[in-house]
C-alpha cells in the first residue's frame, strides 16, 4: 500500500478485516507499506499492521511478495504509480478520483486494458458503492421497483473549511488535488448516482465558487512574516460546485458538492424519483434507506425507513443481527472483499478504471461549463 | 373575492378567521363572491360564507360595499382584473404568480403605483412567507445568526401528475397557467428563498422537461373517439424546472420544482448555509425549523429541531400553547391579518406587486435559459 | 358555551368552521357565551364571535335559542352544569376529564342515560380522537393490519411547569383540577390508547410524584409578604404519573404523563406493536403516522411515514390537497362536525359519558395504586 | 476466549482492532479459542483469527500464554469459569448478564475482590456504555447540562421472536439464560440508565409476560413425531418485562424490554429529562445524540441532533473525520481498549463485577415484583 494518511488507515483496517467476515479465496498478507519519510512510514506500518516498509514506491514493483498495489496517495501521483504497477504485473486498487486530468485517466485506462489481457486487474475506490443501503437502492431500481427514473438529486455537503483560518492543505491546491469539492466529494456523488440508477450523465450546466480565496499556509511550509502575521497562499480549487444535468435514460438531475455547508458533516445524499416510486439516502444515517413504493394504497403509502441490516441485505448478512449497524470503515472492507473475490474468480472488478475515467469526464464537463458561463457541456461516452 | 376553487376556500377561511385571533383595525365583511357560473357561485357562496354573488367581476368595481378585491383566479386573468380594480379605487390582494408574463406584471406594478398615490394598496399572495417557521428563519438571518449566506438550496416537490392518465387540467395549459411546475410552485420557493435571505437572484442557468407530453382531455371538454379511446391533448407546460443561480450577496443556489417526485406531497424545502450557521425547512413538517448554530461548542453542536409554536415566535402567540401546531390554512389567515393591519396603519403591504414582478423576472430568466441550452441569463433588477 | 379560556377559543373556532368544510344537517348559531365576569365575558364574546352573553350558566337552561351547551370550564363544575343541562333537555358537549371524581362521573352517566331516553344527547371532548392520523390508526388496527396487539406504549410529555417559579394556577390545585398531569393529559393518552386498540385496560400498577411541592401564588390571589418575598402555596396534584398495565385482549402497556419533560412541548405519543405490524404517533408531528407492515418482505420492510393528508384519509378529504397539513384546532372542528352529524341522524355521539366514566375509573385506579405502594389495582368494567 | 458465537465474533474483531486505533500499553496476542466441539472450534479459530484451540476451558487456567480470559458463553456458565479464572490469576472479561442468579453474582464479586488484592482484575461486558453518544450523554449529565434528573425512560425493543414458529433456542430457556428479554436486553438498558445518570434504581414495580408459550424445538434437539408435526417445548422465560421505578436521586423511571415489538430491530432507547435540559438516544441511530438545552432562548431552543463523530467526542477522535460514523462492533473495540489501558495503569476496570451484581439485583427485584402482583420491591444497595 502506498500512502498512510486517513485513506491508508481505512484501507489497512479493511485488508485486515475482510477475510474475517467474508469467505475469500485468498488470505491477504499485509506485506509492505510505502511512504517517502522512512521514520514516519515505519511508525505508521507498526500502527496499521504492515509487515515491512519501503520509501520508494518503485521498489514495490520488483518485490515478489507484492501481488497487488493499493494506491492511497493524492491524485497527482495516481497515474504514474498505477500505470507502472499494472505494467509490472501487479493488480491495482486506486483511490478516487482516478486521476487529476482526463488525459491521465485515459492513459490509466489504456494500461488497465493492456494488463487485463495478461490477467492483471484494476479497480477504482468508489467505496460508497459498498454501503449496504446504496447497494440495496441499486437492486431495487434494477428490479423496477421505482419504475422509470425521472429525477436524480445528489448532494455531498461538508463543512470542514468554513473557518477562513483553516490552512491551505494539499486538498485546496489544484496541482495536487486537481479540483476542490468537485473532485474530492462531487466525484463520489456523481459515481453513486450513476451506479444506483445504472444510467449515465450525458450533459451538464454548472457553476463553481471559491468563497475564501486566501488561506494561511500550513504550519510545515509557512512562517511568520516580519510583521508577525501568518503567511497566506491562494486557494486554487473550488469550494463548491453545483450543476444540473441530464441522464441518458431521460432523467433530469441536480448536483451539489461543498465544504461550506455549516453543520453538515458528511451529508452524501441521493434521492431518486421514478414513475413508480422513490428512494432517498443520507450517509449521515448510513444504515437507513428511504423507499416510497408507488404501488401501495395511498391510504397507507409513505416513505419507509428501511434499516439495511437484515441478513438478506447486501453485505449485511456477513455481520451482526438486524438493527446492529455498520460504520464508515465497512465500506472499505466490502470493497476489499469484492476485489479479492473477483481476483479469485477472474471476474473483472468493478468499478473499473473505465468507470473512473467516465466520472473524470463528468468532472471535466462540469469544470468546463463553470468556466464558460454555465453553458451546456456534453459528456463523451466511455465504452466499458 | 373572485374565484372559489381551492384558493377561494382557503382565502374564505382566512377572511372569516383573521379577526378572531389577531387584533385588527377593521372587521372584514365577506360581501360578495364572484364567479362565471351563477348557480355554482351561489352554492359556493353559501358554503364558504359570502353574503352575495356576482357573475361578472366588473360589477365589483362599482359596488360601494366592496373595498378590497381578492383575486383567486388562474393567472391569465390577474392583470385585467387587478388593474381595473386598482384604477377603480379598490385595494387588491392577488394570488401568485402575479401574472403569466413579465409585460402583464409590469403593467400591474404601474397600476399599483398609480393607486398607491391615492391611498389604494395592493399585495401579492405568497402565503408561505407567513409560515411561522419561515418568518422565524428570516428573523434569524437578519439578526446575523447564520453569518454570511453561502448556499441556498430550494426545492418544491409534488407528485400529483405522476400518473400519465391524470387529465389535462388548466394548470397544464400554457395559455391559462403561463408555465407548469415553474410558475405554480417554483415561484413559491424562489420567493421564499429571497424573502428569507433578504437577497435576490441575479442570474440563473436552467433546464426544464415535460415527461408526459400528452394527456387525456378533462371530462368536461373531451369525448370518446369512434374507436372508444379517450381524446388526448398536448401538455404545453413544464413538468419540472431545475436551475442553478447566484444571489447578489455572493451566495450560490440550486432550485428544483416538480410535480413528478413520487411520494413527495408538498415538499417545499429550503436550506440556507451561512458562514456561522444553517437553517432548514420542509413544509411537510411546517411547524418545525432546523437551525445549526456554528457558535456552539462542537461537542454539543447539532441541528436543532425548533417547534415554532412558542409565544415569542412570529404569529404563534395568537394561537395555541407550545407544541400545538398550525396547518396550511393559517398561512392565509396570517396573510389577511397582515394585510388588514397594513391597510389600517397605511403601511405598504408586503409582498408588493413589485416583489411579484421580480419573481416573474426570475421565472422568465429560467424559461429563457432552458430554451437557450442552459446558458446563463442575468435577471433584471427591480426597484421597490 | 360556558368558559372562554384556551378551550373556549378552540371550541369557538370549531363551531364557526365545521359547517364550512363538512356537510352538516344544521348550521350552528353561536348564541351565547357564559362567564362569571360580565365585562370579560362580553369582551370574549366579541372576540370569539358569540351573539350574546350570560353571567350565570343557569340562564342557559331556560333560553329557547340554546339547544346545546358546550362546557369548557374546570373539572369541578362539570357534573353540576352537565346534569342540569341534560335534565333541562339541552344536548351537552363536556370537556375532558368528564369529572374530578368517579362519583360525579357516575352521576353524569346516569343523567346522560335519562336524557338519551328523551332524545337528548351528550359527548365528552376527547378531541385527539379526531386527529386524522389517530383515526387512521384505529382503522388499520380494526382491519387487522397489525394483527394481535401485544404492546401499547403511551406518553404525554409537556414541560410548562419545569420552572419552580411558575405560579400555582388552578390546574395545580386538587380541588379544582382533580389531579395533575394524570387527569389533564394522562386522560388523553389513556383514551387514545383504548380508542385506537378498541380494547380497555383491566388493571394497573402506578407511581406518581410531585417534584416542586410549593409554588408562588398567582398574581391575582397572592401578595408580597412583609419580608418582600412572594407568598407560596402547596401544589396538591401530581407533576407526573407513570403506570404499567394490562389490556383485556392480552396486551401489556406502559404509560407516562408529565409536565416536567424539558423540551417536550406536546409529545402525546402512542406506539402499538402487534403480531403483524406496528403503529407509532407523536402529536408534535400530528399529520404523520408511522406504520410497519410485518407482511412486507424484510428486504424492503420499514416504518412508513404516512402523511395523513390524502383524500381517502379520515377527515382529510374535507380540507386541502395532499401534503397540506392540519393543525391542533382542526381536532375540535372534526369533533363538532361529528357531533352535529350524529345529532342530525340521531346516532349516539362518541365518546359517550360512559366512555368518560371508564377513563375516570382508570385514573382512579392509577391514583389508588400510587397511594398504595404501586400494588396492582383492577379496573371496574363499564357497560356501554 | 471461551465461546465463539455472535458475541465471540464481535469480541474477536475487537481484540484484533483495538491496538490499531488506540494507544495501548500491550499488544493483545489472540492465543486460544475454547469451545466444546473441537472441529467447530478449530474452524471458528481460523475464521476469527485465534492462534490455537482448547476444548476444555480448564486448560486455559494453566496456560502461561493466557493472561486474560474473555467469557462469551451463556449465563449459566459464567460463575464457574470466572471464579476459577480469577482464582488462577487470570484477568477476566465476562459478558453480561454477570450471572443467572444473584447468588452466583455475589460469589463472582467475592472472587473479583480476592483477585484484585493480588493485582488480578475483572470487568463485565456492558458494551453499550462505549457507544460515543452514550459516553457523551454521561459527560453532559455529570457537567450539569440537564440539571437535576427528573425522568428516565428506557426501552429495549426487538422483534426477532414475533413469529410463533421461531424455535426454542437457549435464550428462551430459563435454565440456560436465567430470564428472557429482561436479562438479555433489559439488563443493558438498566445499566445504561444508571451509567448515564450516575444514579441507581432503589425500587421497582413490574410485570412480565410470555406471549408465545410453546415453540418448536430447535432442529438439533427435535424430531418429527409420528404424525409429522414438529415437537414443541415450553418457553420458560419472559417475552417482555415492563417496570416503573425510582432512582436514589429522586427521578422516576419507566422501562420496557421486549422481543415482540414488530419492526423495532434494536431500539435501545434512553431519554432523560432534567430540570435544565434533556437527552435522548436510540441505538438504531447510534451515531446521534439528541440534546435539549433548557438554557437556550425559547425562540431558538430545540432538540439538537448531535452527530457524535467530532474529534472531541468520547472515542471518536481515534477513528474517522466528522460525519463518518461507527458501527455496533466499535462498542467492543472501545471496551477492549479501555480494559487494556486500565490493566496497563493498574486502574480498576469499569463496569466491575460489583456493577454487574447491582444490575442483577435490579433484575431480581423486577422478577420478584412481577411474580408478586406488581407490588413494590426495594433494591438492595451494593458497595463499590
Amino acid at each position: 500500500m502506498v500512502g498512510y494518511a486517513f485513506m491508508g488507515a481505512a484501507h489497512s483496517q479493511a485488508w485486515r478485516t475482510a477475510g474475517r467476515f467474508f469467505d475469500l479465496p485468498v488470505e491477504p498478507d499485509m506485506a509492505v507499506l510505502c511512504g517517502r519519510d522512512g521514520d514516519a512510514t515505519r511508525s505508521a506500518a507498526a500502527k496499521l499492521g504492515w509487515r515491512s516498509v519501503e520509501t520508494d514506491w518503485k521498489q514495490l514493483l520488483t518485490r515478489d511478495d507484492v501481488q497487488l498495489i493499493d494506491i492511497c496517495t493524492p491524485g497527482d501521483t495516481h497515474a504514474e504509480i498505477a500505470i507502472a504497477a499494472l505494467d509490472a504485473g501487479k493488480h491495482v486498487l486506486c483511490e478516487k478520483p482516478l486521476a487529476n486530468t482526463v488525459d491521465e485517466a485515459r492513459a490509466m485506462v489504456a494500461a488497465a486494458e493492456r494488463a487485463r489481457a495478461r490477467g492483471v486487474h484494476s479497480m477504482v475506490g468508489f467505496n460508497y458503492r459498498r454501503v449496504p443501503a446504496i447497494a440495496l437502492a441499486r437492486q431495487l431500481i434494477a428490479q423496477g421497483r421505482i419504475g422509470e427514473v425521472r429525477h436524480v438529486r445528489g448532494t455531498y455537503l461538508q463543512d470542514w473549511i468554513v473557518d477562513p483560518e483553516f490552512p491551505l492543505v494539499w486538498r485546496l491546491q489544484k496541482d495536487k488535488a486537481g479540483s476542490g469539492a468537485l473532485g474530492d466529494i462531487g466525484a463520489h456523488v456523481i459515481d453513486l448516482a450513476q451506479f444506483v440508477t445504472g444510467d449515465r450523465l450525458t450533459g451538464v450546466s454548472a457553476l463553481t465558487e471559491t468563497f475564501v480565496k486566501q488561506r494561511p499556509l500550513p504550519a510545515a511550509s509557512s512562517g511568520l512574516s516580519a510583521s508577525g502575521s501568518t503567511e497566506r497562499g491562494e486557494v486554487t480549487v473550488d469550494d463548491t460546485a453545483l450543476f444540473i444535468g441530464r441522464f441518458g435514460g431521460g432523467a433530469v438531475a441536480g448536483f451539489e458538492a461543498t465544504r461550506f455547508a455549516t453543520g453538515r458533516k458528511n451529508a452524501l445524499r441521493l434521492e431518486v424519483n421514478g414513475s413508480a416510486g422513490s428512494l432517498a439516502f443520507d450517509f449521515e444515517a448510513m444504515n437507513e434507506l428511504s423507499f416510497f413504493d408507488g404501488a401501495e394504497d395511498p391510504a397507507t403509502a409513505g416513505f419507509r425507513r428501511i434499516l439495511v441490516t437484515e441478513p438478506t441485505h447486501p453485505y449485511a448478512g456477513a455481520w451482526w443481527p438486524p438493527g446492529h449497524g455498520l460504520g464508515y470503515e465497512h465500506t472499505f472492507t466490502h470493497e476489499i472483499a469484492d476485489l479479492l473475490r473477483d481476483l479469485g474468480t477472474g471476474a473483472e472488478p468493478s468499478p473499473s478504471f473505465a468507470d473512473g475515467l467516465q466520472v473524470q469526464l463528468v468532472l471535466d464537463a462540469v469544470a468546463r461549463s463553470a468556466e464558460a458561463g454555465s453553458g451546456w457541456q456534453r459528456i463523451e461516452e466511455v465504452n466499458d
Side-chain angles (χ1 to χ4, degrees), chain A residues 254-272:
Chain A
F255 286 93
E256 183 178 356
T258 182
R259 295 154 170 169
F260 274 76
T262 305
R264 301 297 178 196
K265 300 304 172 182
N266 204 40
L268 170 51
R269 295 176 179 183
L270 188 65
E271 177 162 333
V272 185

Side-chain angles (χ1 to χ4, degrees), chain A residues 30-117:
Chain A
M30 293 167 70
V32 49
L33 182 69
C34 179
R36 275 173 300 192
D37 177 329
D39 285 348
T41 307
R42 262 183 296 278
S43 163
K47 183 79 186 172
L48 301 176
W50 295 86
R51 217 173 9 88
S52 66
V53 303
E54 296 284 358
T55 55
D56 178 356
W57 61 264
K58 289 178 183 139
Q59 295 301 318
L60 303 180
L61 306 183
T62 58
R63 280 179 63 155
D64 285 347
D65 61 347
V66 171
Q67 277 93 46
L68 185 150
I69 297 180
D70 180 356
I71 305 173
C72 295
T73 52
D76 61 333
T77 61
H78 288 183
E80 186 184 8
I81 304 176
I83 293 169
L86 288 167
D87 287 347
K90 310 297 191 194
H91 304 300
V92 170
L93 170 61
C94 181
E95 257 307 316
K96 49 55 56 187
L98 187 61
N100 279 0
T101 69
V102 167
D103 284 349
E104 286 175 344
R106 283 195 212 277
M108 292 170 80
V109 170
E113 280 168 14
R114 287 195 302 272
R116 176 160 41 168

Side-chain angles (χ1 to χ4, degrees), chain A residues 8 35 39 69 71 98 128 136 145 160 174 188 193 225 252 281 340 347 361-362 365 381:
Chain A
D39 285 348
I69 297 180
I71 305 173
L98 187 61
Y128 288 105
L136 175 62
R145 294 295 296 273
W160 54 280
K174 192 182 172 88
H188 276 304
S225 72
V252 296
F281 172 78
L340 292 178
L361 289 167
V362 177
E381 281 184 46

Side-chain angles (χ1 to χ4, degrees), chain A residues 10 18 65 95 123 170 286 318 327 360:
Chain A
D65 61 347
E95 257 307 316
M123 185 184 191
W170 72 262
M286 70 169 273
Q360 205 66 38

Side-chain angles (χ1 to χ4, degrees), chain A residues 97-216:
Chain A
L98 187 61
N100 279 0
T101 69
V102 167
D103 284 349
E104 286 175 344
R106 283 195 212 277
M108 292 170 80
V109 170
E113 280 168 14
R114 287 195 302 272
R116 176 160 41 168
R118 293 176 291 134
V120 175
H121 295 287
S122 50
M123 185 184 191
V124 61
F126 285 114
N127 60 299
Y128 288 105
R129 289 189 178 200
R130 269 80 183 192
V131 173
I134 287 292
L136 175 62
R138 179 175 161 93
Q139 281 181 4
L140 294 174
I141 290 178
Q143 290 163 7
R145 294 295 296 273
I146 68 164
E148 193 181 329
V149 174
R150 257 77 180 262
H151 286 285
V152 178
R153 213 165 288 118
T155 63
Y156 201 147
L157 313 179
Q158 298 183 335
D159 73 351
W160 54 280
I161 57 172
V162 165
D163 181 354
E165 297 306 308
F166 187 92
L168 190 66
V169 298
W170 72 262
R171 286 184 191 270
L172 305 184
Q173 302 171 27
K174 192 182 172 88
D175 56 346
K176 295 280 196 337
S179 66
L182 176 58
D184 182 22
I185 56 179
H188 276 304
V189 69
I190 291 166
D191 179 65
L192 278 200
Q194 297 187 136
F195 172 70
V196 161
T197 59
D199 196 3
R200 285 183 168 180
L201 283 159
T202 58
V204 295
S205 170
L207 66 80
T208 58
E209 183 63 73
T210 304
F211 296 112
V212 174
K213 293 182 170 54
Q214 293 194 321
R215 289 183 176 275

